[in-house]
């Protein structure tokens, strides 16, 4: 994601207005805040508008936020809910990224395509526009690519390119809408992904209590949440990875998250686990022996990337349980407990790498405060009606 | 003399056939199925060979309809719809090529099976996912071992787990076992009407300009001007599916095509537009409706059609041996002659094979998952 320097400076200045109970020492404090701002604190900033790729432009408001009224977005919204963008025309993007479950499917491991089970947790689409890469292992480089990948993967959408494209062309309303938006005689599948991505870029949330607090509204957070914020950027060390406007460093880390036990007793998950080893191009020996998700390794094939997953944003987590790449934690409390205990078994434990997590020794009250703060990272739940699907028609 | 040869040659061929190919349940004197064929029978009926687990090979190639379908146009994977008639799989080994456009050679039945399993409008399954599904069924692991494991000096077989290629080979092996019982034509027990019909078939009606050889097919593509299916371009999902197919096959201007281009899909030769490979007539009695798009419901309709448009058909694309299309003229068959011809066509069919649907083995959880090699 392109870092927009001017915004970051302006928000950093606004952040200097946040001190509570310290006004008598304002000059001293200002200096201290500036010092901190130049080190770690500068990475806590409100969320601005999402980046928009030059090859998929869309209409934005005066602040740079994508407009829902853009015809491209309207088209994308219909496509997002359209089952015809899957193999058997039974599921749409909105089935795994459901408005009823915080734009996830609410399961620890994603439901997957009919007759299959997926093997990772579905991530929310809210604020997905800010990621530079998509999927837990960053295997997709844009929302456009992610949409195509999800619609076509055998355990996700299982759609086939030509069939999906011809279905779109068989819908007179789509023919008109694609022509209006993209200027083509017939709908092209690549444009469908562009429209869906444009729609997804409207799914942002930048007015959380946390954002309002950073913009100077000291009353936006409760005392417990402020205490949690201090722990977050202080002793608990969360900010080491969960930083920046998105509260994600967009990097990949191995934390030793516990295995999801359903792989041990669910035949469909076992099938998919092996299938993923196969399709991600590991060696024969790795295919035989691997029993844990290798994460970023599948993309880079570098030993040191084994078991690393992209730091997720903490925004909107009030609605997106369960958590982690394999959904093993069902509450934010469980997540905090995991980090409090120093994470799980990591590479560093067996002498092959550097441990990144240490036990935190948080009290129960501190954990509560931390969770209270995490809850301030979500605003109102974003919901949406399923649009009416345009019917097939006969082509003359 | 001549009629004796007509009886004896097919008899001889039939004898060779049953010698060469053991089959399931078509009567006495058949070899027991091999482990490969047994495995193939399970797979043939297993819906886990489709992407969403909803279809097996037998969903379209239905045993009760001579391993063909009863609809004019085939069913297809959910979310798509068929654009041609499902051909029978019985005696598929005698074909010269596969599919109505002849796009795959007869020597490669395994690839035809691959098409059926993986193409989006057939069963739409990723072959890698298929492999992992089969490995999750312990009984399949055993059946693959029995079919493909090589015995060693110690008697233990080398590991032969389910793979995509082995699956194709097993399904193909099973399909090749499917045979009809001996037909009246093959056993020399045709009715008098059928005998008269055969004379018409080889004479006045000109059927043998294309329907020749033991399978009654010259394995060439001809333009016969069979009426276009009304459903193909009127039903949105069939049209979309057909477009997806010809687009994938590289047919130019596929958006404006409103008539099945047939063999042209393969050759891109304008003369092959609307040409379809001559189907076998063996077993035809069991496989209505007829033609590549199922527009003719009965054998009577087929005979009426050729009586009207002319029996000698051809493709101007130089298929050699076939008469030029413009030489065709109505046959002028009497009603009695048509009945005799139909009687002969019916006499080309023996009893359908009886193949029971096997009870399918289930997925099982792999215990000790963390300590068991994948």
């Amino acid at each position: 994601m392109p870092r927009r320097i001017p915004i970051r400076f302006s928000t950093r200045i606004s952040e200097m207005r946040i001190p509570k109970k310290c006004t008598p020492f304002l000059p001293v404090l200002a200096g201290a805040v500036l010092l901190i701002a130049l080190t770690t604190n500068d990475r806590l900033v409100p969320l601005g508008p999402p980046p928009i790729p030059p090859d998929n432009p869309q209409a934005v408001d005066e602040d740079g936020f994508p407009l829902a009224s853009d015809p491209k977005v309207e088209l994308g919204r219909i496509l997002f809910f359209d089952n015809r963008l899957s193999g058997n025309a039974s599921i749409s993007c909105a089935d795994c990224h459901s408005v009823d479950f915080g734009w996830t499917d609410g399961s620890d491991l994603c439901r997957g395509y009919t007759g299959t089970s997926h093997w990772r947790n579905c991530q929310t689409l809210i604020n997905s526009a800010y990621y530079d890469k998509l999927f837990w292992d960053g295997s997709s480089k844009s929302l456009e690519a992610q949409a195509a990948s999800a619609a076509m993967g055998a355990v996700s959408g299982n759609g086939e390119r030509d069939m999906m494209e011809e279905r779109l062309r068989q819908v007179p309303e789509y023919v008109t809408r694609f022509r209006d938006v993209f200027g083509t005689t017939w709908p092209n599948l690549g444009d469908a992904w562009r429209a869906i991505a444009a729609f997804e870029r409207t799914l942002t949330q930048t007015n959380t209590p946390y954002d309002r607090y950073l913009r100077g509204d000291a009353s936006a957070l409760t005392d417990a949440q402020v205490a949690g914020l201090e722990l977050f950027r202080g002793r608990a060390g969360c900010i080491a990875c969960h930083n920046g406007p998105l509260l994600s460093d967009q990097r990949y880390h191995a934390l030793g998250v516990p295995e999801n036990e359903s792989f041990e007793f669910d035949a469909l998950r076992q099938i998919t686990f092996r299938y993923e080893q196969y399709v991600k191009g590991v060696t024969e020996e790795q295919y035989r022996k691997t029993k844990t998700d290798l994460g970023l390794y599948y993309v880079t094939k570098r030993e040191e990337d084994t078991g690393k997953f992209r730091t997720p944003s903490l925004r909107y987590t009030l609605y997106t349980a369960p958590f982690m790449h394999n959904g093993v934690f069902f509450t934010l409390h469980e997540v905090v407990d995991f980090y409090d205990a120093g994470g799980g078994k990591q590479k560093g434990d067996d002498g092959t790498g550097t441990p990144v997590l240490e036990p935190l020794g948080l009290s129960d009250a501190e954990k509560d405060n931390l969770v209270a703060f995490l809850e301030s990272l979500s605003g109102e739940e974003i919901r949406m009606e399923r649009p009416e699907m345009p019917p097939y028609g006969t082509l003359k | 003399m001549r009629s004796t040869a007509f009886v004896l040659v097919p008899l001889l061929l039939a004898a060779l056939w049953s010698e060469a190919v053991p089959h399931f349940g078509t009567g006495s004197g058949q070899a027991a199925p091999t482990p490969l064929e047994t495995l193939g029978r399970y797979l043939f009926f297993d819906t886990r060979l489709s992407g969403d687990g909803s279809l097996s090979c037998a969903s379209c190639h239905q045993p009760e309809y001579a391993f063909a379908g009863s609809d004019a146009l085939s069913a297809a994977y959910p979310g798509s719809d068929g654009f041609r008639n499902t051909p029978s799989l019985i005696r598929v080994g005698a074909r010269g090529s596969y599919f109505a456009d002849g796009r795959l050679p007869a020597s490669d039945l395994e690839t035809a099976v691959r098409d059926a399993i993986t193409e989006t409008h057939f069963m739409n399954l990723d072959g890698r996912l298929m492999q992992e599904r089969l490995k999750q069924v312990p009984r399949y692991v055993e059946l693959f071992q029995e079919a493909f494991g090589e015995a060693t000096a110690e008697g233990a077989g080398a590991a032969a787990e389910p793979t995509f290629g082995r699956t194709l080979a097993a399904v193909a092996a099973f399909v090749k076992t499917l045979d009809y019982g001996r037909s009246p034509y093959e056993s020399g027990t045709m009715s008098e009407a059928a005998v008269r019909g055969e004379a018409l078939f080889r004479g006045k009606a000109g059927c043998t300009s294309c329907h020749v050889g033991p399978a009654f097919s010259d394995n060439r593509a001809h333009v016969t001007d069979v009426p276009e299916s009304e459903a193909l371009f009127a039903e949105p999902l069939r049209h979309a599916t057909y477009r997806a197919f010809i687009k994938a096959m590289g047919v130019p201007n596929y958006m404006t095509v409103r008539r099945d281009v047939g063999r042209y899909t393969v050759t891109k030769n304008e003369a092959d537009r609307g040409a379809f490979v001559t189907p076998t007539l063996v077993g035809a009695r069991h496989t209505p409706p007829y033609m590549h798009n199922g527009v003719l419901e009965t054998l009577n309709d087929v005979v009426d059609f050729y009586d009207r448009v002319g029996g000698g058909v051809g493709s101007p694309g130089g298929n050699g041996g076939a008469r030029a299309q413009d030489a065709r003229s109505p046959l002028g068959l009497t009603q009695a002659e048509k009945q005799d011809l139909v009687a002969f066509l019916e006499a080309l069919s023996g009893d359908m094979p009886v193949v029971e649907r096997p009870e399918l083995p289930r997925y099982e959880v792999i215990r000790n998952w963390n300590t068991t090699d994948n």
Side-chain angles (χ1 to χ4, degrees):
Chain A
M1 164 189 138
R3 296 289 163 99
R4 299 178 64 170
I5 300 302
I7 287 178
R8 296 192 62 217
F9 271 100
S10 66
T11 49
R12 189 184 302 159
I13 289 162
S14 74
E15 189 183 355
M16 293 177 202
R17 288 191 247 115
I18 68 170
K20 304 179 66 176
K21 303 168 188 169
C22 299
T23 29
F25 310 104
L26 192 56
V28 176
L29 188 86
V33 168
L34 183 60
L35 187 66
I36 295 167
L38 291 173
T39 54
T40 58
N41 217 9
D42 69 328
R43 290 178 293 178
L44 291 182
V45 283
L47 195 56
I52 295 169
D55 60 350
N56 190 17
Q58 66 188 113
V60 296
D61 65 15
E62 64 269 22
D63 296 321
F65 286 94
L67 290 167
S69 58
D70 184 343
K72 184 187 281 189
V73 172
E74 286 181 0
L75 171 59
R77 185 168 65 96
I78 302 171
L79 293 168
F80 181 84
F81 285 91
D82 197 328
N83 293 344
R84 289 168 288 204
L85 289 178
S86 68
N88 60 2
S90 77
I91 60 171
S92 70
C93 309
D95 281 290
C96 295
H97 301 283
S98 164
V99 295
D100 295 326
F101 298 100
W103 301 77
T104 76
D105 77 342
S107 305
D108 50 348
L109 299 171
C110 189
R111 52 162 281 180
Y113 185 67
T114 326
T116 75
S117 289
H118 205 268
W119 75 319
R120 283 181 184 159
N121 180 258
C122 297
Q123 298 185 80
T124 183
L125 293 182
I126 303 302
N127 295 327
S128 60
Y130 297 89
Y131 287 119
D132 57 357
K133 291 176 185 165
L134 284 302
F135 291 122
W136 284 103
D137 54 13
S139 56
S140 239
K141 291 191 170 70
S142 67
L143 286 177
E144 289 81 355
Q146 190 277 339
S149 199
M152 293 194 280
V155 297
S156 46
N158 199 35
E160 190 270 340
R161 190 184 307 271
D162 293 324
M163 190 66 227
M164 289 190 288
E165 184 166 86
E166 295 309 323
R167 285 187 194 138
L168 297 179
R169 293 175 179 198
Q170 200 73 39
V171 178
E173 183 178 327
Y174 280 147
V175 174
T176 306
R177 285 182 180 271
F178 275 80
R179 184 185 298 145
D180 291 347
V181 173
F182 296 103
T184 55
T185 305
W186 297 105
N188 289 319
L189 192 62
D191 287 336
W193 312 136
R194 287 186 186 92
I196 289 172
F199 163 67
E200 289 170 338
R201 289 191 178 97
T202 67
L203 301 176
T204 61
Q205 185 170 74
T206 60
N207 60 346
T208 66
Y210 168 74
D211 293 293
R212 293 200 297 275
Y213 183 79
L214 291 189
R215 293 193 183 100
D217 177 3
S219 67
L221 297 189
T222 65
D223 288 349
Q225 288 172 329
V226 172
L229 168 58
E230 290 311 317
L231 286 164
F232 184 86
R233 63 181 171 189
R235 190 151 64 85
C238 314
I239 197 174
C241 299
H242 294 284
N243 53 48
L246 192 56
L247 294 166
S248 164
D249 61 358
Q250 306 216 43
R251 291 171 182 269
Y252 304 80
H253 305 281
L255 308 177
V257 171
E259 296 299 327
N260 185 314
E261 289 179 1
S262 69
F263 287 105
E264 293 177 39
F265 54 77
D266 184 329
L268 288 182
R269 303 270 188 223
Q270 294 179 344
I271 290 169
T272 298
F273 186 90
R274 288 193 307 270
Y275 168 75
E276 293 290 344
Q277 310 313 307
Y278 193 159
V279 299
K280 289 180 189 305
V282 299
T283 64
E284 169 75 11
E285 190 189 355
Q286 284 171 315
Y287 165 80
R288 298 287 173 196
K289 301 290 184 188
T290 301
K291 292 295 175 179
T292 186
D293 188 336
L294 301 180
L296 181 63
Y297 176 86
Y298 296 118
V299 178
T300 65
K301 301 297 191 300
R302 285 199 300 249
E303 176 71 28
E304 63 268 30
D305 290 335
T306 301
K308 288 183 177 176
F309 297 91
R310 196 266 317 279
T311 308
S313 173
L314 298 176
R315 292 174 174 276
Y316 211 64
T317 47
L318 193 56
Y319 309 105
T320 63
F323 304 105
M324 316 312 267
H325 71 275
N326 56 3
V328 283
F329 299 136
F330 278 75
T331 65
L332 291 172
H333 269 105
E334 288 178 35
V335 177
V336 168
D337 283 342
F338 169 75
Y339 287 110
D340 183 53
K345 186 175 177 351
Q346 297 157 64
K347 272 288 176 187
D349 291 353
D350 49 20
T352 58
T354 309
V356 294
L357 300 176
E358 299 287 350
L360 301 175
L362 298 176
S363 68
D364 284 351
E366 286 173 324
K367 290 180 189 175
D368 288 347
N369 289 340
L370 204 45
V371 170
F373 169 67
L374 293 174
E375 289 173 352
S376 81
L377 302 176
S378 301
E380 294 289 309
E381 187 168 10
I382 298 172
R383 299 187 66 91
M384 190 175 290
E385 292 297 313
R386 185 176 193 269
E388 197 171 318
M389 287 299 116
Y392 284 128
T394 305
L395 299 191
K396 293 286 174 269
Chain B
M1 181 66 199
R2 208 177 137 198
S3 62
T4 315
F6 281 146
V7 175
L8 280 181
V9 169
L11 270 178
L12 193 64
L13 285 167
L16 284 170
W17 181 264
S18 52
E19 189 70 25
V21 186
H23 33 194
F24 286 88
T26 45
S28 58
Q30 298 154 15
T34 66
L36 185 65
E37 292 158 358
T38 300
L39 168 61
R41 183 174 69 118
Y42 282 102
L43 294 167
F44 186 86
F45 288 95
D46 198 325
T47 58
R48 288 168 292 201
L49 264 60
S50 66
D52 64 358
S54 68
L55 299 173
S56 72
C57 307
S59 301
C60 292
H61 299 282
Q62 301 172 65
E64 53 272 31
Y65 295 107
F67 291 85
S70 58
D71 297 329
L73 297 177
S74 174
Y77 191 73
S80 58
D81 211 349
F83 50 86
R84 298 219 180 110
N85 183 255
T86 306
S88 170
L89 296 180
I90 302 174
R91 284 200 194 175
V92 78
R95 303 275 165 79
S97 62
Y98 301 118
F99 297 110
D101 51 23
R103 65 181 179 272
L104 291 178
S107 58
D108 195 6
L109 182 56
E110 288 78 4
T111 296
V113 177
R114 185 211 65 83
D115 254 39
I117 293 173
T118 65
E119 288 298 313
T120 181
H121 55 282
F122 291 142
M123 292 160 83
N124 199 31
L125 176 62
D126 183 323
R128 300 165 297 187
L129 184 59
M130 183 181 78
Q131 169 183 306
E132 300 306 338
R133 282 184 178 168
L134 296 177
K135 284 178 68 172
Q136 200 70 33
V137 181
R139 179 66 185 133
Y140 272 135
V141 173
E142 292 172 7
L143 288 166
F144 273 82
Q145 184 64 39
E146 288 164 18
F148 293 98
E150 292 172 29
T152 65
E154 293 76 39
E161 61 186 1
T163 65
F164 188 38
R166 286 172 180 152
T167 303
L168 303 183
V171 173
F174 164 71
V175 168
K176 285 177 182 169
T177 68
L178 299 173
D179 199 5
Y180 292 106
R182 293 174 72 197
S183 66
Y185 173 75
E186 289 164 338
S187 58
T189 57
M190 290 201 299
S191 67
E192 288 181 17
V195 172
R196 288 194 302 273
E198 180 176 5
L200 289 162
F201 185 87
R202 299 181 188 282
K204 181 179 176 186
C207 309
T208 48
S209 62
C210 300
H211 292 284
V212 294
F216 292 89
S217 166
D218 62 357
N219 188 39
R220 288 181 170 147
H222 305 279
V223 179
T224 57
D225 295 325
V226 170
E228 187 51 87
S229 160
E230 287 181 12
L232 178 49
F233 297 100
E235 293 180 16
L237 211 44
R238 292 195 201 278
H239 187 186
T241 306
Y242 180 64
R243 279 201 314 277
F245 169 69
I246 58 175
K247 173 205 265 182
M249 299 295 282
V251 171
N253 303 316
Y254 59 88
M255 288 305 297
T256 56
V257 166
R258 291 295 182 275
R259 198 167 158 79
D260 191 336
V261 298
R263 178 72 180 160
Y264 175 85
T265 307
V266 183
T267 63
K268 311 297 188 293
N269 180 348
E270 206 50 52
D272 286 331
R273 193 178 282 270
F276 295 89
V277 174
T278 309
T280 180
L281 296 179
V282 176
R285 179 161 65 89
H286 303 298
T287 64
Y290 301 101
M291 317 314 264
H292 69 275
N293 55 6
V295 289
L296 302 180
E297 287 182 16
T298 65
L299 289 174
N300 278 306
D301 293 341
V302 175
V303 170
D304 278 342
F305 168 74
Y306 283 113
D307 182 48
R308 204 165 54 244
V309 304
V313 298
S315 161
N319 272 310
R323 272 189 261 158
Q325 198 173 358
D326 55 11
R328 294 165 64 190
S329 56
L331 301 177
L333 297 176
T334 67
Q335 207 55 37
E337 286 173 326
K338 289 183 191 173
Q339 283 169 14
D340 289 345
L341 205 45
V342 169
F344 173 66
L345 293 174
E346 288 179 342
L348 297 176
S349 302
D351 292 337
M352 288 197 295
V354 177
V355 177
E356 286 183 21
R357 290 172 184 265
E359 189 171 333
L360 294 172
R362 295 172 180 276
Y363 287 138
E364 285 183 26
V365 174
I366 293 171
R367 306 289 167 190
N368 308 314
W369 166 251
N370 288 318
T371 53
T372 307
D373 279 4
N374 292 328

